[in-house]
């Protein structure tokens, strides 16, 4: 509706669900009086900041496709799901476990991130970082409850940065990066619960015996790219693993 002013909403203090998407909003301060708000969607506006007055019951916010440049000022204590997809964020700084006690899902797809440094969110379970410019993985050791990590369409050449403290990570999507050396996959051995890995459209996925070589390095893996491992692949991987152990001895 091309809205630029939502001051009228201040009087509706019992609103729980508000969708203001596809307008021309630059200011959300009138929402500060909506202390019962549970769900807010403001996609496709002209916002340059996600900073808002703290709302005690707010659980879901989507700021997708605005002009937001940082993540400062998001302090809602019950926030569980936050989307900042399609903005202009260059650094993953500003979000703090000290203020976001309940955040489980964070969507940062389609921003301008070059690193993962700054994501100090130990209770986070799902993290979407696809379609950025990420070249280095930093600060991941604090993500002890993360189960799902999407890093598709970035610029990773190595897999340094994963940590054994990421003891819950089960699904890792690395499609369309720049990983050319298949031996980089061995660095994922520190992830004890990793069961599904996507490496399609990386140069290393064109190597001979790609699937079996990955399984040799990650024997607990159940699925590579779109396909589950067959029993004959497991048998071959075990055989190769034993042969190499004997050769080393």
């Amino acid at each position: 509706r091309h809205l630029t002013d939502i001051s009228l909403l201040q009087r509706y203090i019992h609103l729980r669900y508000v969708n203001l998407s596809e307008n021309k909003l630059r200011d959300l301060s009138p929402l500060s009086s909506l202390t019962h708000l549970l769900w807010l969607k403001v996609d496709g506006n002209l916002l340059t900041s996600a900073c808002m007055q703290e709302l005690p019951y707010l659980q879901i916010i989507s700021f997708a496709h605005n002009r937001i440049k940082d993540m400062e000022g998001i302090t809602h204590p019950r926030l569980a799901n936050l989307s900042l997809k399609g903005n202009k964020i260059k650094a993953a700084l500003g979000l703090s476990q000290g203020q976001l006690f309940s955040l489980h899902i964070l969507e940062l797809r389609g921003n301008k991130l070059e690193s993962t440094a700054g994501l100090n969110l130990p209770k986070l379970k799902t993290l979407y970082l696809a379609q950025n410019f990420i070249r280095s993985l930093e600060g991941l050791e604090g993500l002890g409850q993360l189960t799902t990590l999407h890093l598709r369409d970035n610029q990773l050449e190595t897999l340094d940065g994963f940590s054994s403290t990421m003891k819950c990570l089960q699904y890792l999507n690395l499609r369309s990066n720049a990983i050319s050396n298949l031996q980089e996959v061995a660095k994922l051995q520190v992830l004890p619960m990793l069961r599904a890995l996507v490496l399609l459209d990386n140069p290393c996925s064109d190597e001979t015996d790609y699937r079996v070589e990955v399984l040799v390095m990650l024997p607990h893996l159940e699925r590579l790219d779109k396909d589950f491992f067959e029993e004959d692949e497991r048998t071959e991987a075990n055989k190769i693993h034993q042969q190499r152990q004997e050769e080393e001895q």
Side-chain angles (χ1 to χ4, degrees):
R1 296 183 177 272
H2 306 293
L3 295 176
T4 58
D5 182 358
I6 54 170
S7 56
L8 186 70
L9 292 180
Q10 286 177 311
R11 69 182 73 172
Y12 299 104
I13 60 171
H14 296 292
L15 279 172
R16 306 290 178 91
Y17 303 89
V18 174
N19 189 345
L20 292 162
S21 298
E22 309 306 328
N23 281 291
K24 296 188 177 181
L25 300 178
R26 299 175 187 270
D27 176 24
L28 298 180
S29 59
L31 301 180
S32 60
S33 61
L34 306 186
T35 54
H36 297 274
L37 199 63
L38 300 174
W39 183 95
L40 174 64
K41 193 170 183 179
V42 286
D43 298 351
N45 278 281
L46 303 176
L47 299 168
T48 57
S49 172
C51 183
M52 292 175 62
Q53 180 76 25
E54 185 176 301
L55 294 169
Y57 301 110
L58 191 57
Q59 296 171 27
I60 298 174
I61 313 179
S62 182
F63 290 105
H65 306 296
N66 277 276
R67 301 175 181 180
I68 295 167
K69 295 182 179 179
D70 62 54
M71 297 188 288
E72 301 289 341
I74 303 174
T75 60
H76 318 289
R78 298 196 184 186
L79 189 63
N81 187 330
L82 171 62
S83 176
L84 288 157
K85 178 173 66 174
N87 279 282
K88 300 178 183 297
I89 298 167
K90 293 184 178 180
L93 304 170
L95 297 182
S96 167
Q97 174 66 18
Q99 297 165 321
L100 297 171
F101 308 107
S102 306
L103 192 63
H104 289 163
I105 301 172
L106 178 58
E107 165 69 91
L108 288 167
R109 191 176 348 190
N111 277 278
K112 298 180 181 296
L113 296 171
E114 296 182 5
S115 166
T116 55
L119 291 168
N120 181 30
L121 299 161
K123 292 190 177 179
L124 201 64
K125 293 184 177 179
T126 303
L127 178 56
Y128 298 97
L129 293 170
Q131 297 167 350
N132 278 281
F133 302 95
I134 295 171
R135 295 176 178 274
S136 63
L137 301 174
E138 303 169 69
L140 297 181
E141 59 276 0
L143 302 177
Q145 293 188 30
L146 198 70
T147 63
T148 301
L149 177 56
H150 286 255
L151 283 160
R152 179 175 176 169
D153 290 307
N154 277 285
Q155 298 177 9
L156 293 169
E157 296 181 4
T158 72
L159 294 178
D160 297 314
F162 289 99
S163 168
S164 59
T165 58
M166 301 175 76
K167 55 188 181 297
C168 297
L169 191 64
Q170 298 177 28
Y171 176 89
L172 176 59
N173 191 329
L174 292 163
R175 184 171 183 167
S176 299
N177 275 272
I179 301 161
S180 57
N181 187 347
L182 196 55
Q183 292 304 310
E184 288 294 316
V185 174
K187 295 173 182 176
L188 302 180
Q189 291 170 350
V190 298
L191 304 172
M193 291 299 292
L194 188 64
R195 296 295 180 267
L197 175 64
V198 182
L199 283 169
L200 282 171
D201 301 326
N202 280 275
C204 67
S205 66
D206 295 327
E207 289 196 23
T208 307
D209 298 326
Y210 155 66
R211 286 181 59 82
V212 170
E213 287 296 334
V214 170
L215 193 56
V216 169
M217 290 182 276
L218 302 174
H220 298 297
L221 209 60
E222 295 175 359
R223 180 161 58 92
L224 178 60
D225 302 329
K226 298 177 181 179
D227 300 315
F228 284 88
F229 283 106
E230 301 290 341
E231 197 56 45
D232 60 334
E233 290 177 305
R234 292 197 176 280
T235 302
E236 185 179 354
N238 285 333
K239 186 177 178 181
I240 293 170
H241 180 67
Q242 289 175 353
Q243 285 175 345
R244 290 177 183 172
Q245 277 191 322
E246 290 170 4
E247 288 170 5
E248 286 175 11
Q249 289 173 355

